[in-house]
Amino acid sequence: MSGAHLVDSFLEMMSAERGAARNTIEAYRRDLGDYCGYLAGKGSGPMQAAREQVVSYLAFLDAQGLSASSSARKLSAIRQFHKFLCADNLRADDPTRIVGSPKARRALPKVLSIGEVDRLLSLAEQEANEPASDAKQAAALRLYVLLELLYATGMRVSELVSLKRSAVMRDATFLTIIGKGNKERVVPVNDRARDAVRAYVATLPPGPWLFPAGGEDGYLSRQVFARDLKGLAGRAGIGAARVAPHVLRHAFASHLLAGGADLRVVQTLLGHADISTTQIYTHVLDEKLRTLVEQHHPLSDKA
């Protein structure tokens, strides 16, 4: 039986037994037709295809520039097709059984340069010290302290806005952060951030939160912080679309690695349970290694 006839039989089953919608049937027809066409070009077919040919087909799709999600969708159709062939005793084995699904490449995090972070911090400090109404000056000082702490520690925005005042009062040189799963971690705080926090705390009325607000939670919302940060970025001449609280966390990690910090240390500071999560920043290390080789290799023009 030809590949086209096998596909037709599969689609009839999908329609009759599973009630698949017309659009679903047509999508399967296109995906399986493409798969069978590839196999035919290799002198094979769905009855003869081995695991290696399924893997080769996925590699072909990747080389064509197809996204991982689209390739995974095609593989899902192929899996169901081969399960059908096995269930109907047309094939004794399923070549897709141990084929891994295509994984999307993790996008590199958006990162600001050290100069851009410095511009943000400098403007935030300037605005915090400018004469203004009590409410405006309090908001400016709060934003400045938020930025100093975020870039000094790399904490998650949810961890930052929900900081309790006691977390910064125990030891002026360290900060206790409650992360995911209520896990505590202690991170160092630089002099600049520490001084900013001390001056800020002196202006606060009594209460448990470092960044109190009138909402249900009792502390500043992430959305308000993000809005204020984007406004500051615009005033600093940095595209607001490039700036968000998590971008400062990325900058913290990337700038530390670029400066020579160990990946395991950065993992601990960020509160990542698995080193693989931190490895998204290794593009910084790759660039640093490339630069070192170019500068110091004996055969390099720059050596």
Side-chain angles (χ1 to χ4, degrees):
M1 190 180 295
S2 70
H5 282 99
L6 291 171
V7 170
D8 285 340
S9 297
F10 168 71
L11 295 179
E12 286 175 11
M13 180 276 295
M14 290 293 292
S15 178
E17 297 181 16
R18 301 189 186 179
R22 180 182 298 177
N23 288 344
T24 301
I25 295 294
E26 290 308 311
Y28 276 130
R29 189 183 302 279
R30 287 192 299 271
D31 288 344
L32 294 176
D34 187 59
Y35 169 62
C36 290
Y38 174 83
L39 293 176
K42 301 294 182 181
S44 183
M47 294 295 292
Q48 300 82 32
R51 175 185 179 276
E52 290 73 22
Q53 288 176 310
V54 177
V55 171
S56 174
Y57 174 63
L58 294 176
F60 166 75
L61 295 177
D62 183 63
Q64 295 294 108
L66 198 68
S67 69
S69 59
S70 295
S71 293
R73 188 202 71 233
K74 286 180 178 291
L75 178 59
S76 176
I78 294 167
R79 284 191 199 281
Q80 293 189 60
F81 178 46
H82 277 289
K83 284 180 181 178
F84 161 76
L85 296 180
C86 290
D88 271 26
N89 296 316
L90 296 173
R91 275 196 66 153
D93 62 319
D94 179 358
T96 69
R97 190 174 60 84
I98 53 174
V99 175
S101 185
K103 297 290 191 298
R105 298 181 182 88
R106 296 187 67 179
L108 295 178
K110 296 179 181 178
V111 177
L112 297 175
S113 69
I114 293 175
E116 287 171 325
V117 173
D118 187 59
R119 276 161 58 192
L120 282 175
L121 290 172
S122 296
L123 180 57
E125 183 179 22
Q126 176 188 322
E127 292 183 351
N129 291 317
E130 287 177 350
S133 66
D134 290 347
K136 188 173 181 180
Q137 192 165 42
L141 179 58
R142 182 182 67 190
L143 180 57
Y144 171 56
V145 174
L146 283 162
L147 286 182
E148 284 286 4
L149 276 177
L150 183 53
Y151 186 58
T153 65
M155 71 180 91
R156 301 176 181 91
V157 62
S158 57
E159 298 167 346
L160 174 63
V161 296
S162 63
L163 276 175
K164 289 190 174 179
R165 213 168 298 183
S166 57
V168 299
M169 301 304 289
R170 294 175 190 167
D171 188 330
T173 58
F174 289 90
L175 180 65
T176 302
I177 300 172
I178 307 298
K180 290 184 176 180
N182 288 322
K183 292 182 179 178
E184 280 193 3
R185 69 184 187 277
V186 178
V187 299
V189 180
N190 60 36
D191 292 343
R192 178 166 164 165
R194 185 169 64 248
D195 291 344
V197 169
R198 282 174 173 166
Y200 169 70
V201 168
T203 70
L204 295 177
W209 306 109
L210 186 58
F211 301 106
E216 182 179 346
D217 292 325
Y219 53 79
L220 184 71
S221 73
R222 295 177 300 166
Q223 292 80 5
V224 170
F225 175 33
R227 179 201 66 197
D228 292 349
L229 177 55
K230 285 184 179 293
L232 178 71
R235 296 191 296 277
I238 302 172
R242 296 183 55 226
V243 181
H246 67 270
V247 174
L248 270 296
R249 176 171 160 89
H250 294 327
F252 164 83
S254 296
H255 296 169
L256 275 180
L257 289 169
D262 183 85
L263 191 65
R264 289 282 181 185
V265 172
V266 175
Q267 176 194 0
T268 300
L269 294 174
L270 292 175
H272 287 162
D274 194 318
I275 190 69
S276 64
T277 308
T278 320
Q279 285 173 338
I280 191 172
Y281 298 105
T282 54
H283 68 285
V284 177
L285 298 178
D286 293 341
E287 178 64 21
K288 185 178 179 182
L289 287 172
R290 185 185 64 78
T291 302
L292 284 172
V293 170
E294 287 182 352
Q295 291 179 343
H296 301 291
H297 193 280
L299 298 182
S300 171
D301 292 338
K302 298 180 182 179

